[in-house]
Amino acid sequence: MRNITLSQAVNEALAEEMRRDETVFIIGEDVAEAGTPFKILSGLVEEFGTDRVIDTPIAEPGFMGMAVGAAMTGSRPVVDLMFGDFIFLIMDQLCNQAAKTHYMSGGKLNVPLVVRTNLGATRRSAAQHSQSLQALVAHIPGLKVALPSSAYEAKGLLKTAIRDNNPVVIFEDKLMYQDKAEVPEEEYLIPFGEANIKREGSDITLIATSSMVQVAEKAAEMLAAEGISAEVIDPRTIVPLDEKTLIESVKKTSRAIVIDEGHQSYGVTSEIASRLNENAFYHLDAPVLRMGAMDVPVPFSPALEDITVPTPEAVVENARKLCSGEMIHAA
C-alpha cells in the first residue's frame, strides 16, 4: 500500500485503462497540455498523444454528442466535464441519447461511456460552479451514478466505470483532490452496487455519500465520546444502490440519518430515506432523517457558503436528538 492523492488515483486509473484498451480515450476542455483546471490529467497526453487525449472547444453539447457516437461505434470515451454544473449543457446527449439507445435499439447497441465530473461547495466558486447535481442523473433510467469518497474508491470505481457497457456518470468532490488514502499498487476494481461499511455501530446508522462520508466519520467519532455508537456506510454508487446493506444496518440500529451534499428537496437523501421507510419501517424507533444542502443557490460569501452544507457538528446534534427520542422536524 502507498498513500496517494485522489487526483493521482484518478490519473492512474485512466492511464491503466488506456494502456489496457486502445478504444479508451479522453475528450473535454483543457484535458491535454493543461491537464484540466485541477491538473488531474497531467502527463497523459505525453504518453497517449492528442489522438486519445483530445482537447475540445468550449462546446459541451458538441463533444458529448461526439462521445455518444464514438461509444455506439466501438470506442470507450471518457468525457471530462470541467464542472458538474455544466451537466445541464449535455442533458439531451446524456439523458435522451446515451441513456436510452440500448433500450430503443432492442439491445443491439450499447453506449459504454463515462462522464467524469465533480461536485461540492465550500470552494468559493459561486452558484454556477458549486452545485452537487447527482440526483438529476440518478433519476434517469439507463444511467449509472458513482460517488467516490476517497482516493481508493475513486480509482476502483473509475476503472469499473470504464469497463461497464452502460453510460456511467462519476462525481468527484473537487475539495478532495489532494486528500490522500491508501491505494494498492496492484490492480483492483470496486463493483457497482456494493456499499462499504466504514465503521460498525449499534445505535444509529449514518449513510453518507462522497465527501459527506468524512463528515459522517467525524460525527461518529464525536458521538462515540458521548457513548453513542454510530455505524457509517458509504453507498459508493447511488445507481445501482445497495439497498440490502443499508436496510440490514437500519434494522440493527433502528435509527438513521442520510447525508448528501445535493440540495435536500427531491434529492438523494429523499430517495434513500424513502426506501428505508418502505423496507424497515417496523424496525425504526424514529423517522429517518435527511441532511442535504440548503435549498438555495450556493452563495459566494464564505460565511454564508459554509452553513449551506451538512457539518459534523450538525450531524452530531441531530443524531443526539434521534437517540434521545426527541422529535426533529426537517427544515
Side-chain angles (χ1 to χ4, degrees):
M1 286 283 191
R2 68 262 152 83
N3 278 319
I4 63 173
T5 66
L6 193 148
S7 177
Q8 290 172 308
V10 170
N11 189 295
E12 279 189 4
L14 290 167
E16 289 174 12
E17 292 305 299
M18 291 176 78
R19 292 178 195 129
R20 184 188 64 85
D21 184 350
E22 64 181 12
T23 68
V24 178
F25 70 89
I26 301 168
I27 187 169
E29 297 157 359
D30 291 340
V31 297
E33 286 77 9
T36 76
F38 301 98
K39 305 303 179 187
I40 298 161
L41 308 186
S42 296
L44 295 182
V45 71
E46 284 81 3
E47 178 175 354
F48 300 102
T50 54
D51 287 341
R52 295 184 66 195
V53 183
I54 304 170
D55 266 336
T56 68
I58 302 175
E60 288 84 358
F63 65 75
M64 182 64 189
M66 293 167 63
V68 173
M72 290 171 62
T73 53
S75 294
R76 290 184 175 270
V78 177
V79 177
D80 188 290
L81 196 62
M82 190 180 290
F83 284 90
D85 312 68
F86 303 163
I87 210 159
F88 292 113
L89 297 166
I90 64 166
M91 287 298 272
D92 181 64
Q93 292 83 351
L94 179 64
C95 300
N96 270 337
Q97 313 306 327
K100 295 178 173 59
T101 293
H102 181 74
Y103 300 90
M104 295 180 71
S105 68
K108 294 180 180 179
L109 294 172
N110 292 317
V111 187
L113 66 78
V114 177
V115 175
R116 252 200 74 246
T117 191
N118 50 55
L119 58 77
T122 66
R123 188 176 172 269
R124 319 312 180 208
S125 297
Q128 295 173 337
H129 295 77
S130 303
Q131 298 170 89
S132 300
L133 301 174
Q134 55 271 27
L136 268 68
V137 289
H139 184 69
I140 306 300
L143 300 178
K144 296 184 178 182
V145 184
L147 297 167
S149 61
S150 70
Y152 174 83
E153 306 285 336
K155 184 173 182 179
L157 289 171
L158 181 54
K159 288 172 71 72
T160 299
I162 292 171
R163 299 186 192 190
D164 201 295
N165 285 328
N166 301 280
V168 179
V169 185
I170 185 162
F171 290 89
E172 302 151 4
D173 190 292
K174 61 177 76 78
L175 280 181
M176 292 174 61
Y177 282 131
Q178 298 308 310
D179 288 1
K180 290 186 175 183
E182 288 189 344
V183 177
E185 292 190 22
E186 63 272 14
E187 181 175 80
Y188 67 97
L189 302 175
I190 296 177
F192 284 0
E194 291 189 12
N196 182 22
I197 300 176
K198 302 282 289 182
R199 179 186 181 119
E200 293 192 354
S202 57
D203 295 325
I204 189 168
T205 300
L206 305 179
I207 300 166
T209 64
S210 187
S211 61
M212 294 295 104
V213 173
Q214 298 177 359
V215 168
E217 288 181 309
K218 290 176 183 175
E221 292 176 6
M222 296 163 69
L223 287 167
E226 301 180 18
I228 297 173
S229 174
E231 184 148 293
V232 178
I233 303 181
D234 173 10
R236 288 175 165 162
T237 56
I238 53 174
V239 183
L241 181 67
D242 182 1
E243 285 189 49
K244 183 174 182 290
T245 297
L246 305 184
I247 291 166
E248 286 179 353
S249 175
V250 172
K251 285 182 176 179
K252 177 180 68 173
T253 65
S254 300
R255 303 172 185 86
I257 300 176
V258 187
I259 313 154
D260 179 78
E261 199 173 332
H263 295 302
Q264 182 154 306
S265 295
Y266 309 99
V268 172
T269 58
S270 301
E271 179 63 28
I272 295 177
S274 178
R275 296 194 193 194
L276 295 176
N277 282 323
E278 289 171 0
N279 293 287
F281 180 79
Y282 292 105
H283 296 269
L284 290 170
D285 289 339
V288 177
L289 186 66
R290 298 172 295 129
M291 294 184 68
M294 288 184 183
D295 293 325
V296 296
V298 178
F300 177 71
S301 161
L304 295 178
E305 184 179 18
D306 288 345
I307 63 173
T308 64
V309 298
T311 63
E313 292 75 17
V315 174
V316 166
E317 181 180 357
N318 284 331
R320 191 186 295 125
K321 290 178 179 178
L322 282 182
C323 290
S324 67
E326 184 177 342
M327 288 297 294
I328 298 176
H329 299 284

